[in-house]
Amino acid sequence: MRKALKFSVTNRFADERGVTVILVALLMIVFLGVAALAIDGSHLMVVRNELQNAADAGALAGGRFLYNEYGTEVNAGANAIAYDAARANKALANTGGAIPVDVNFGDGQSLDVRRGHWNFATHTFTPSDSTVVIDLWGLTTEELDNMDGSDGNPPYINAVKVVARRQATRAASFFARVFGYGDFEMSAEAIGYIGFAGTLGPGEVDQPIAICAESILLDGEYSCNIGRMINSGEKVESSETGGWTSFNQDDPCTGGTNAQEVSSLICGEGNPEMISLGQPIATNGGEIQSAFNNLIDCWQDHLTKNGLTPWNLTLPVISCPENNVGTCEEVLGAVNINIVWITEAGEDPGYDQAPTQMGDWSNTSTSGSERWASFVSHFNLKNVDESPAPYAKKSIYFLPDCTPHELKGNSGGENFGVLAKIPVLVK
């Protein structure tokens, strides 16, 4: 009986050793799978990030050169620039080292590099080889957003799409080969969008004056067919279509700005620091006599040097609900305007200082009031209630400029007629 029992226990131990070997073998497969997932997964994530960096670089480079310096032409060569920028980047391949990414580039407007239209509402990109430039005037941001060419009209070209790949030279797999998987084909895409001037670099704004968006938009459209006046008087319909600013965005809402800060910036080198889109900026809608005196001097200097021609300025656009400029207002973008007249501080009931000539307009009537009426009619100068702009002391009369302007700032602002210089990634 003892001998039989001993034989039975021995067989049981042998069976258990056999099961253990099977379990170990199974666990080895699981461990290999985990190792393959961890090592190959980490490697492929690195490759994916490098491909994304290449696509981003290409899309931003293409967007940066999508237009010429004034936005009057779509640059067909932007695709080649995007291709070169993407190919300048590398990503790990099956050689164990990093080599230039694959970007399929055919005739310049096919495959992996495309110009086209980006729609913010639908988050879609519509490729197009059109080089037609769309006028920005009289169009809302939403209308421009929908101009993808689907209605038969030329699309609004505003973006470059780039796809970077590991295709001809695929991303390597290591442990995954054990399970029958070879190297991996991978890709990443990016879209660089060039929009309207938003965040503005140092010196891109000319004077410490901010224009209210409400005074230059008609039914949401940027209009160059109507002029406005800036006046610090108490009549809402004719005052505070703009205000002074010190360009301060560090702590703008704890007191706005003061005379010394603004006066020191008049006819200087513009904004000393970057102006950030969507952030409040220190403003003052009241009277700052010292700043106004300096501005008058600059105005007279402009007339002396340039004759009786409008004074062209790039200024920040701010939000002014109910046409009221407070101590700090949100920056919405940038606008280019033409100042056509500035009246001085003294009372002039006889209209003696009313202009006789400005740009393509002239009137030599001996009646100052007649000259002023002709001047206002020619430049379509109106209050925000659409009544003719009055002849008032210490007032700035301006027209939004609807001619192509030098590109300025980063994309992101609203359509006030100034295209941005720097694109942003939207995908």
Side-chain angles (χ1 to χ4, degrees):
M1 288 294 294
R2 290 192 190 120
K3 187 174 182 180
L5 180 60
K6 182 176 180 180
F7 178 77
S8 177
V9 171
T10 300
N11 287 346
R12 180 180 176 184
F13 287 159
D15 292 342
E16 288 179 350
R17 284 196 297 271
V19 171
T20 300
V21 170
I22 294 173
L23 289 174
V24 169
L26 291 174
L27 287 174
M28 284 293 291
I29 296 174
V30 173
F31 290 150
L32 283 172
V34 171
L37 181 63
I39 295 175
D40 284 354
S42 298
H43 170 70
L44 294 179
M45 185 173 293
V46 170
V47 176
R48 177 67 174 76
N49 289 339
E50 291 175 335
L51 286 173
Q52 189 64 62
N53 290 340
D56 290 351
L60 288 173
R64 175 67 179 83
F65 294 96
L66 183 57
Y67 306 124
N68 67 359
E69 63 178 331
Y70 290 96
T72 56
E73 294 181 9
V74 173
N75 177 19
N79 296 50
I81 293 172
Y83 170 80
D84 290 341
R87 285 279 294 170
N89 288 263
K90 298 181 179 182
L92 294 172
N94 56 5
T95 61
I99 61 175
V101 300
D102 301 323
V103 181
N104 297 318
F105 192 75
D107 59 6
Q109 174 63 7
S110 63
L111 305 176
D112 288 342
V113 183
R114 305 295 301 270
R115 297 186 308 278
H117 176 81
W118 171 257
N119 184 303
F120 277 95
T122 60
H123 288 81
T124 54
F125 175 82
T126 304
S128 173
D129 60 0
S130 173
T131 56
V132 175
V133 174
I134 304 298
D135 286 338
L136 306 177
W137 338 120
L139 294 169
T140 65
T141 302
E142 290 74 20
E143 287 171 335
L144 286 170
D145 194 35
N146 290 321
M147 296 180 68
D148 59 4
S150 59
D151 58 358
N153 293 315
Y156 176 47
I157 304 302
N158 61 3
V160 174
K161 177 181 177 180
V162 174
V163 180
R165 304 178 185 274
R166 281 271 65 99
Q167 184 178 44
T169 51
R170 299 186 176 191
S173 66
F174 301 107
F175 284 97
R177 292 178 181 277
V178 176
F179 300 95
Y181 293 97
D183 297 333
F184 296 93
E185 182 176 330
M186 302 179 66
S187 66
E189 69 177 48
I191 297 173
Y193 162 81
I194 192 80
F196 307 103
T199 296
L200 301 161
E204 290 192 318
V205 167
D206 295 315
Q207 297 294 335
I209 300 171
I211 300 296
C212 294
E214 291 78 2
S215 71
I216 54 177
L217 295 179
L218 295 177
D219 298 324
E221 298 178 354
Y222 172 70
S223 174
C224 52
N225 298 320
I226 187 169
R228 298 296 190 194
M229 66 180 291
I230 304 175
N231 185 283
S232 59
E234 295 180 356
K235 293 183 178 180
V236 173
E237 67 272 13
S238 61
S239 67
E240 300 206 22
T241 51
W244 304 106
T245 178
S246 64
F247 304 129
N248 174 32
Q249 290 189 298
D250 291 336
D251 189 19
C253 298
T254 58
T257 185
N258 58 53
Q260 182 177 0
E261 289 176 332
V262 174
S263 299
S264 66
L265 293 166
I266 296 289
C267 288
E269 297 181 355
N271 52 310
E273 298 180 357
M274 183 175 290
I275 298 176
S276 297
L277 179 71
Q279 300 299 314
I281 192 170
T283 51
N284 187 321
E287 179 180 325
I288 301 181
Q289 187 62 53
S290 59
F292 188 79
N293 291 341
N294 290 346
L295 188 69
I296 282 287
D297 290 341
C298 293
W299 167 244
Q300 295 297 338
D301 185 58
H302 164 78
L303 295 179
T304 299
K305 293 179 178 178
N306 302 283
L308 293 170
T309 60
W311 188 15
N312 187 264
L313 302 173
T314 298
L315 303 175
V317 178
I318 57 174
S319 174
C320 310
E322 299 181 0
N323 232 36
N324 182 35
V325 180
T327 58
C328 64
E329 303 295 350
E330 180 186 354
V331 176
L332 301 179
V335 67
N336 192 275
I337 69 165
N338 286 310
I339 293 179
V340 292
W341 204 251
I342 302 179
T343 55
E344 298 188 13
E347 298 287 350
D348 185 18
Y351 293 79
D352 294 333
Q353 296 178 20
T356 58
Q357 182 180 344
M358 174 52 61
D360 61 350
W361 169 87
S362 66
N363 188 309
T364 58
S365 171
T366 57
S367 169
S369 61
E370 288 183 10
R371 297 199 307 274
W372 183 255
S374 172
F375 178 77
V376 167
S377 175
H378 178 82
F379 290 110
N380 199 25
L381 299 172
K382 293 184 177 182
N383 293 324
V384 292
D385 65 358
E386 303 306 310
S387 61
Y391 185 68
K393 66 178 181 179
K394 291 189 289 189
S395 298
I396 303 169
Y397 300 87
F398 70 90
L399 295 171
D401 189 348
C402 287
T403 60
H405 313 115
E406 183 180 358
L407 311 185
K408 292 180 180 286
N410 290 28
S411 297
E414 297 181 24
N415 177 20
F416 302 116
V418 181
L419 284 168
K421 177 169 57 178
I422 307 299
V424 294
L425 292 171
V426 291
K427 185 176 180 182

